[in-house]
Amino acid sequence: MTGTGPVWTATLSDTRARAAVAARRYGVPPAMIAAAGRRRAVGDWRGACAAADVDVYLNVDLVRRRCGSVVADRLSAVLSELAPDLLRWHLPRRGHGAGELAAGLLVPLAEFVDGGVALTLVAMTPRVALDAGQRVVLTVLDSGARARRFVDDDPVKRALLGGVRVKHAGRHSLVRFPMFWNASRAPELAGMRAAALESQEITFLQDTGRFAEAWLAAGFGLDVDSATATPSRLRWLTALPVCLPGLAARVRSALPGADTAVVRSGGGAVVLSGLDGDRPVARVVPSRDAQGLPMVSTAAWARSVDVDLLRFGLLGAHELHPLVASALMSDPPPAVPEPDEWLYREVPYIAGPCADADVPTVCIRCGPTIHRVAHRDGTWRPIDHQGHAERESFLKRLGGPANPCLQAAEYLASGRHVIDLVESLLRHGRADDVQRVLHLHAGAEAVLHDVALPTGGTVGEALATLRENTLQFRMLLAGATRPRDTASYRSTTRRRTRKGDPARTHR
């Protein structure tokens, strides 16, 4: 990571921070962003979606025939401004591991209503799409007033709907927050940083776990029922990454006319009441006690992960999505086309790759100084670490740790830096990047002969599984799935989704 060590804050654990960083570095790499941006710049929104691993299952001409030209023209205008890579950047992800996309999402993006016709543009992450390389499906669904939930008579859409949690669509809705997926509205993301910096006192209270004082400082009365204030519920409230400054105003904007609304995260809920008054009240309740209340979209209440990662130095400014960087920073650094440093990110004590070196060289934090470790004569070796070699060797034989330069050299010489990068890319479905990394840094022999992964299996097996899953997904989108296969897929997906979901996922 960019930072020198783990960060501790009540609302952003080290586990969640590492998952968020991995999600941005490997799930939306600079090459993907650049390719999608080039397609979008020439008006090719379908090409931009293809570059961002977003599968489009919609036909504007069919929408025109079924729903009329008004709805179709509005849909076309929205699609022309879609930044699928920006959408992928902001979709909710798992709060641990490599930060893969959360499974079973149904994320409404835009609504189109004309007379008795109502359509919703949505992004979906059924398990069948994630298994095919962390892919996202973009489609439109009928959402008229007569329908209690999203419906469609298309068998492919019905199969996709069977793999998502429709009832959670309101929690993830981005209809009122187009800045998370619309290129022309991306500058509005600056409001996230403004909200985070509006009151550093509140931020400090949240960082240190003093949640009660933080809510009071934000102008809320906090009601925690002593009968239900279990230690686990208090821990949940302490870790809730809610952006408190301006919360009441954002909720009123997201839910016009609502005096009471609920914030949901995982299995807990906070009911906000008296939103039209001067002193709203936040009441912590079990999730079941908030049934039927208007739900506040996560986009309206959650803290910006990007702002926190920048604040703690866990993500470099040049690693941000360019649209995000332009919104959050007054003078954003230029985007890096391809991150040359990503190969060495997990090297112990890494300070970064060394520039202007004739051979691969990395800079290592060795005590108070920066030393170089270079690849020379077929192996990695320290070239600046001088003196105390016998004493350090003796300490290592006694079971003590090796000096940082030697630890880094041993790690690099083992090839773990290549395998760790390959494993991270595989978890995000980046098959082409895996092949390129192996060719460039492990030689053709590594591609011809399977390379073992630390978590089990080999790279070849993982790529074969990815190809098979991709084929099955393509068959589903092509309508080649038989009804019995669709039903089987639906039941299997739901069971796996519930079992694999983390307790909380945040954008």
Side-chain angles (χ1 to χ4, degrees):
M1 301 177 72
T2 302
T4 59
V7 61
W8 189 93
T9 170
T11 56
L12 182 67
S13 67
D14 188 58
T15 299
R16 277 192 60 227
R18 289 182 177 274
V21 170
R24 283 148 176 75
R25 285 175 170 171
Y26 307 116
V28 200
M32 172 189 286
I33 296 172
R38 288 193 297 268
R39 300 288 184 88
R40 187 174 64 251
V42 297
D44 182 10
W45 66 268
R46 285 186 178 272
C49 287
D53 288 348
V54 175
D55 289 275
V56 179
Y57 190 78
L58 64 88
N59 187 317
V60 178
D61 292 333
L62 179 60
V63 171
R64 189 179 303 278
R65 290 194 298 269
R66 294 183 58 183
C67 305
S69 59
V70 173
V71 171
D73 290 343
R74 291 176 182 171
L75 175 61
S76 296
V78 166
L79 292 173
S80 67
E81 297 178 341
L82 173 69
D85 48 317
L86 184 64
L87 170 64
R88 175 177 286 275
W89 184 275
H90 285 118
L91 283 177
R93 294 179 175 272
R94 302 177 69 183
H96 54 82
E100 299 99 321
L101 289 168
L105 295 177
L106 176 62
V107 182
L109 304 179
E111 296 176 342
F112 312 93
V113 180
D114 180 47
V117 176
L119 287 183
T120 302
L121 177 68
V122 301
M124 311 170 73
T125 62
R127 172 59 63 184
V128 67
L130 299 187
D131 289 344
Q134 291 288 289
R135 304 191 71 84
V136 178
V137 182
L138 185 73
T139 189
V140 290
L141 298 174
D142 295 332
S143 55
R146 295 180 181 178
R148 294 185 178 181
R149 52 190 288 171
F150 293 105
V151 297
D152 204 283
D153 56 3
D154 187 317
V156 174
K157 292 183 184 179
R158 287 203 303 270
L160 294 172
L161 281 169
V164 299
R165 297 183 292 278
V166 177
K167 66 178 182 179
H168 290 173
R171 180 184 298 191
H172 304 299
S173 177
L174 297 178
V175 172
R176 293 182 177 272
F177 306 94
M179 70 284 290
F180 290 108
W181 55 268
N182 187 313
S184 65
R185 302 286 294 274
E188 298 175 21
L189 291 170
M192 298 190 305
R193 179 173 176 82
L197 299 180
E198 182 177 328
S199 175
Q200 295 191 11
E201 174 193 1
I202 295 176
T203 300
F204 173 76
L205 292 173
Q206 288 185 278
D207 283 344
T208 54
R210 295 153 66 182
F211 65 88
E213 296 175 62
W215 281 91
L216 293 175
F220 282 85
L222 184 63
D223 180 8
V224 182
D225 188 351
S226 58
T228 59
T230 62
S232 61
R233 192 174 302 281
L234 293 178
R235 286 195 299 269
W236 173 86
L237 184 58
T238 302
L240 184 68
V242 57
C243 183
L244 289 174
L247 176 62
R250 293 196 303 277
V251 174
R252 287 194 294 265
S253 177
L255 299 171
D259 186 58
T260 302
V262 59
V263 168
R264 292 184 181 274
S265 179
V270 177
V271 175
L272 307 178
S273 58
L275 292 170
D276 291 335
D278 296 332
R279 186 73 173 181
V281 175
R283 182 165 53 92
V284 183
V285 301
S287 184
R288 62 179 180 275
D289 292 351
Q291 296 293 335
L293 293 177
M295 187 184 303
V296 184
S297 172
T298 303
W301 64 261
R303 293 164 65 120
S304 168
V305 176
D306 291 318
V307 171
D308 280 342
L309 293 178
L310 284 175
R311 185 163 64 96
F312 288 107
L314 302 176
L315 195 71
H318 67 287
E319 296 180 281
L320 287 174
H321 189 292
L323 292 175
V324 177
S326 297
L328 298 185
M329 309 183 70
S330 57
D331 187 21
V336 180
E338 193 63 52
D340 294 334
E341 76 274 14
W342 73 349
L343 185 65
Y344 307 112
R345 282 172 175 155
E346 301 301 325
V347 176
Y349 304 99
I350 184 71
C354 298
D356 303 326
D358 54 348
V359 295
T361 307
V362 296
C363 296
I364 301 298
R365 298 185 183 90
C366 190
T369 59
I370 299 294
H371 290 163
R372 294 172 297 167
V373 174
H375 187 266
R376 291 182 176 177
D377 301 325
T379 188
W380 288 87
R381 60 185 62 190
I383 58 176
D384 290 330
H385 194 92
Q386 304 294 334
H388 309 296
E390 292 184 357
R391 184 178 66 182
E392 291 174 350
S393 177
F394 178 69
L395 288 174
K396 184 182 178 183
R397 287 197 299 271
L398 291 177
N403 66 71
C405 287
L406 186 56
Q407 287 188 52
E410 292 177 347
Y411 177 86
L412 290 163
S414 69
R416 278 294 303 276
H417 60 301
V418 177
I419 300 304
D420 286 346
L421 174 57
V422 165
E423 186 174 38
S424 296
L425 293 171
L426 281 172
R427 295 183 68 171
H428 289 279
R430 311 301 302 161
D432 292 341
D433 288 330
V434 168
Q435 296 281 9
R436 183 176 59 81
V437 167
L438 289 177
H439 273 293
L440 289 177
H441 302 289
E445 290 298 317
V447 181
L448 296 175
H449 299 88
D450 281 346
V451 178
L453 294 170
T455 54
T458 65
V459 174
E461 292 171 349
L463 291 174
T465 300
L466 181 59
R467 286 192 294 269
E468 180 181 353
N469 292 339
T470 301
L471 177 59
Q472 293 178 355
F473 178 52
R474 298 292 184 209
M475 291 176 63
L476 174 65
L477 293 182
T481 302
R482 294 173 294 179
R484 62 178 182 178
D485 294 333
T486 300
S488 174
Y489 152 69
R490 183 183 294 114
S491 60
T492 302
T493 301
R494 284 183 174 174
R495 182 171 62 252
R496 293 177 60 188
T497 298
R498 285 200 301 268
K499 183 178 179 180
D501 279 348
R504 295 185 296 116
T505 55
H506 301 288
R507 184 171 295 103

